[in-house]
Amino acid sequence: MNADPRQALATPAEATEAPESGPVDLAAEFRDAGIGEVLDALDRDLVGLEPVKRRVREIAALLLVDRVRQRRGLSSTPPSLHMSFSGNPGTGKTTVALRMAEILQRLGFCRRGHVVAVTRDDLVGQYIGHTAPKTKDVLKRAMGGVLFIDEAYYLYRPENERDYGQEAIEILLQVMENQRDDLVVILAGYADRMERFFESNPGMKSRIAHHVDFPDYSDGELSEIGDRMLAQWNYRFDDGGRRAFAEYVALRRAKPGFANARSIRNALDRMRLRQALRLFECGEVVDESALTTIVEADVRASRHFQEEAAAGDRPG
């Protein structure tokens, strides 16, 4: 039987103390554990995603109440903590995993509070006898924290009889069950592919307690993300640049390969390149305002505007 992680992290004195009694101030418990700081940081890190933030708050509340119950001798089965994060790329899944690890550590459900992020290539070998050592090495590094497996469905490739992904899955299942007191596994990826993965691996699905869906950002949220990123880099849009960027967001998200905040970051990087070239080629002395401002021309030089214009010029 697995030891309760809360007991494993307790000091000898705490482990032998008589259970607490009387009323409990959960607000004070919440404050003293520092959970509010983590949730505030999550709000600062991520625009929107209110359903995700609410789910994180629910999990934090469950763990907080469970810790209080444990101190009062109200024994219960430790909550299962393995999770699935489903959504398109660039929707904040890795950021939420990092904050979740902080919450787990502050409440005593996680020794170290670190996150080890991996993909199939980190777990699955290319020949017989290679997968088990790779998978076990990753698990060893992740112990005491969170193992975040991105695009987890690529572990399972039934169309290839010589694929070794199933061996990695079997090792993961064993550790997720037998060492769930010292490791939290978060599986992440596209929603439809994750569902098919769980259908093909019912043992994995049965070990996942929390399924969190990450929605795509709205146009307004993506524009705000762009403003925040530029501010972090000491840039800003002028009025024309901001209007053009709002148009860019609506245009870009309708095209294949859009990856939410990740695509916004890539687009801003290209706009900075165009701004730098524009300033360099103007041959004039520039001031700080020029060095920090993205203008409309920097935005509209994107190939997406050019492709849209070309498509509009074609005869119907």
Side-chain angles (χ1 to χ4, degrees):
M1 183 173 177
N2 291 302
D4 189 327
R6 299 158 297 187
Q7 291 290 344
L9 294 172
T11 65
E14 290 173 332
T16 58
E17 286 178 357
E20 297 178 1
S21 60
V24 59
D25 185 346
L26 288 178
E29 294 279 347
F30 181 85
R31 183 180 60 251
D32 294 344
I35 303 305
E37 299 171 9
V38 181
L39 296 178
D40 288 345
L42 192 61
D43 278 331
R44 291 194 303 271
D45 290 343
L46 295 176
V47 172
L49 298 180
E50 294 309 320
V52 174
K53 292 174 181 176
R54 178 170 180 78
R55 191 61 187 278
V56 171
R57 191 177 184 88
E58 289 172 348
I59 295 171
L62 169 67
L63 300 181
L64 181 70
V65 169
D66 189 77
R67 187 174 75 161
V68 171
R69 284 172 51 86
Q70 177 69 14
R71 292 207 313 260
R72 290 168 173 262
L74 302 172
S75 61
S76 63
T77 302
S80 180
L81 298 173
H82 302 311
M83 306 177 196
S84 169
F85 288 179
S86 299
N88 289 326
T91 50
K93 295 185 289 294
T94 304
T95 298
V96 173
L98 292 168
R99 295 304 180 191
M100 184 60 71
E102 286 188 63
I103 291 172
L104 292 168
Q105 183 190 34
R106 293 189 184 212
L107 290 175
F109 289 86
C110 187
R111 285 186 293 115
R112 299 169 59 192
H114 68 303
V115 176
V116 174
V118 299
T119 63
R120 171 191 164 89
D121 289 344
D122 299 297
L123 298 167
V124 180
Q126 297 179 349
Y127 50 84
I128 294 175
H130 192 206
T131 294
K134 288 188 71 171
T135 302
K136 290 177 181 178
D137 178 66
V138 167
L139 289 167
K140 182 178 179 181
R141 288 191 284 118
M143 282 297 166
V146 171
L147 175 60
F148 182 85
I149 306 177
D150 198 15
E151 298 185 310
Y153 33 76
Y154 285 133
L155 291 174
Y156 183 68
R157 290 181 173 172
E159 71 281 0
N160 185 350
E161 294 181 358
R162 300 185 63 183
D163 184 71
Y164 305 111
Q166 188 60 40
E167 182 180 0
I169 291 173
E170 291 170 1
I171 295 171
L172 284 169
L173 287 173
Q174 183 178 20
V175 172
M176 288 169 70
E177 180 64 27
N178 297 337
Q179 294 180 263
R180 62 182 183 271
D181 56 333
D182 199 33
L183 178 69
V184 174
V185 175
I186 298 178
L187 308 177
Y190 289 104
D192 56 343
R193 297 183 189 180
M194 290 298 293
E195 187 58 35
R196 290 197 296 272
F197 173 69
F198 287 132
E199 289 173 359
S200 302
N201 295 273
M204 185 69 78
K205 185 173 184 178
S206 68
R207 286 166 173 78
I208 301 296
H210 305 283
H211 293 264
V212 184
D213 296 321
F214 286 68
D216 287 335
Y217 291 109
S218 68
D219 287 3
E221 289 168 343
L222 290 167
S223 292
E224 183 179 346
I225 288 170
D227 282 333
R228 288 192 184 191
M229 287 181 177
L230 285 183
Q232 290 172 357
W233 303 335
N234 293 310
Y235 285 86
R236 66 178 183 84
F237 288 118
D238 67 2
D239 291 341
R242 181 169 286 104
R243 287 192 298 270
F245 184 69
E247 292 180 43
Y248 172 87
V249 168
L251 189 62
R252 177 65 185 91
R253 71 177 301 160
K255 297 193 175 183
F258 181 69
N260 287 281
R262 195 175 304 166
S263 290
I264 295 300
R265 176 183 289 273
N266 292 340
L268 293 176
D269 281 338
R270 290 190 291 272
M271 292 171 197
R272 291 168 63 193
L273 286 171
R274 292 192 286 268
Q275 182 242 29
L277 182 61
R278 173 175 56 81
L279 295 178
F280 177 76
E281 291 183 338
C282 77
E284 300 176 0
V285 175
V286 297
D287 58 15
E288 184 172 309
S289 176
L291 290 170
T292 58
T293 303
I294 304 293
V295 303
E296 182 174 4
D298 302 325
V299 181
R300 292 196 180 277
S302 165
R303 65 180 175 84
H304 296 291
F305 282 109
Q306 297 168 12
E307 290 172 358
E308 186 73 5
D313 290 338
R314 296 190 192 112

